[in-house]
Amino acid sequence: MRMPPTQSDVMTVHMSWRRRTALYALALLCTSGAVAAVPAGASAAAGPHPAAAPSAVKFADEFDGPAGSGVEGGKWQIETGDNVNNHERQYYTSGNNNARLDGQGNLVITARKENPGNYQCWYGTCEYTSARLNTSGKFDSAYGRVEARMKIPRGQGIWPAFWMLGSDIGQVGWPNSGEIDIMENVGFEPSTVHGTLHGPGYSGSGGIGAGYSLPNGEAFADNFHTFAVDWAPDSITWSVDGQVYQTRTPADLGGRQWVFNKPFFLILNLAVGGYWPGDPDGSTVFPQQLVVDYVRVSD
């Protein structure tokens, strides 16, 4: 990176898939960097059905607080920097510049076409700002229901994500740490979100996952939706609004190692541009917002 994160060094792995490339940051605990996952086309489970009900809550942020305030520092850290390998266009800023509470029980992550801090990116002077948060070093967990209720943004080049990385990434590196993408959306697919697993021997183009599409051309940006995984030893199930669309087990990996029976931490981010979504164009309206009603992890 031309403008590296201010906390610790970050190593990256550059992968490609159908002429799209994703950056995976091998972040140490409490470090910063930019990571995103590109799903490979795996078939979804046949027929939607209700997702499992949660029980005791292990982690929750309802984002209650005064309008304009930042996220709770005991739960989240804010990452900073740009992303050269993935060719994203945003600079992730610190504090509450691009991630703040709205006073109505929501976290709002805002992507803007601006550069008030004269931030420098891999391509020169940055054109956009946004935010990325994680719980590394503050909260991690193995198993349970991990969910967020969100209203995603829209537009060409817009790339929101809710996902997890193995907490041992600083020791074993990526993809041995494992990555669980709960929800990704790219602006040119307004009706579809993706869920994906990445691990040793099935990362990048070999990621195991599937997409979920709303009926009748409805866009995810039109309303709030709940994105979740129900995670047990040797099993992970994805759902949208309680409707299951895929389940993955070690049997899906063709003998490769299942690395999801250990603690993971949470990540929320809103990227602008990149090899997978493509860059914004004349049709893209700014600012764009990822509005998060809550994030919860339950037994």
Side-chain angles (χ1 to χ4, degrees):
M1 294 182 178
R2 298 189 183 186
M3 292 292 291
T6 58
Q7 298 175 24
S8 300
D9 292 337
V10 174
M11 298 181 293
T12 61
V13 178
H14 191 205
M15 297 288 181
S16 65
W17 175 78
R18 294 185 185 176
R19 294 176 295 176
R20 303 164 183 167
T21 303
L23 170 68
Y24 300 93
L26 307 185
L28 301 178
L29 289 178
C30 300
T31 64
S32 59
V35 183
V38 177
S43 58
H49 54 279
S55 52
V57 175
K58 297 187 284 188
F59 173 94
D61 200 334
E62 308 296 326
F63 302 112
D64 295 322
S69 59
V71 293
E72 185 176 338
K75 295 179 178 179
W76 302 95
Q77 62 175 336
I78 306 295
E79 303 184 23
T80 61
D82 69 342
N83 184 341
V84 56
N85 284 39
N86 200 35
H87 280 205
E88 295 171 15
R89 296 283 175 172
Q90 82 291 325
Y91 187 95
Y92 289 128
T93 68
S94 61
N96 63 352
N97 291 330
N98 293 79
R100 64 182 65 180
L101 307 186
D102 67 358
Q104 301 177 29
N106 300 306
L107 164 66
V108 181
I109 299 177
T110 302
R112 300 186 179 94
K113 189 173 184 179
E114 64 168 14
N115 188 350
N118 194 32
Y119 304 115
Q120 297 301 302
C121 288
W122 58 269
Y123 56 89
T125 301
C126 304
E127 299 173 354
Y128 307 92
T129 62
S130 190
R132 174 173 155 150
L133 299 70
N134 73 58
T135 66
S136 177
K138 300 175 184 292
F139 171 80
D140 65 5
S141 183
Y143 314 130
R145 180 175 175 87
V146 184
E147 67 178 304
R149 183 173 184 264
M150 302 184 289
K151 185 177 183 181
I152 70 171
R154 71 176 78 233
Q156 169 59 37
I158 304 301
W159 189 2
F162 173 45
W163 51 293
M164 297 187 286
L165 282 173
S167 296
D168 60 353
I169 191 168
Q171 291 73 52
V172 304
W174 186 93
N176 292 338
S177 62
E179 177 176 328
I180 303 170
D181 300 322
I182 302 169
M183 186 285 299
E184 287 187 288
N185 169 264
V186 285
F188 60 79
E189 295 180 333
S191 299
T192 302
V193 294
H194 298 268
T196 315
L197 293 181
H198 297 270
Y202 51 100
S203 59
S205 62
I208 306 298
Y212 176 89
S213 296
L214 292 172
N216 305 316
E218 180 183 350
F220 273 99
D222 290 339
N223 295 291
F224 280 88
H225 296 274
T226 301
F227 307 96
V229 292
D230 288 286
W231 176 19
D234 297 332
S235 175
I236 301 175
T237 297
W238 283 255
S239 63
V240 176
D241 297 329
Q243 300 301 307
V244 169
Y245 69 96
Q246 69 169 331
T247 296
R248 300 296 169 183
T249 72
D252 292 298
L253 304 186
R256 292 162 294 183
Q257 185 182 6
W258 177 268
V259 291
F260 307 102
N261 293 341
K262 61 184 179 183
F264 278 60
F265 62 88
L266 311 175
I267 306 166
L268 280 167
N269 73 283
L270 174 54
V272 179
Y275 282 115
W276 185 21
D279 289 339
D281 61 21
S283 70
T284 311
V285 177
F286 286 93
Q288 285 294 323
Q289 296 181 329
L290 173 61
V291 184
V292 186
D293 179 18
Y294 64 78
V295 175
R296 297 173 188 157
V297 181
S298 306
D299 286 329

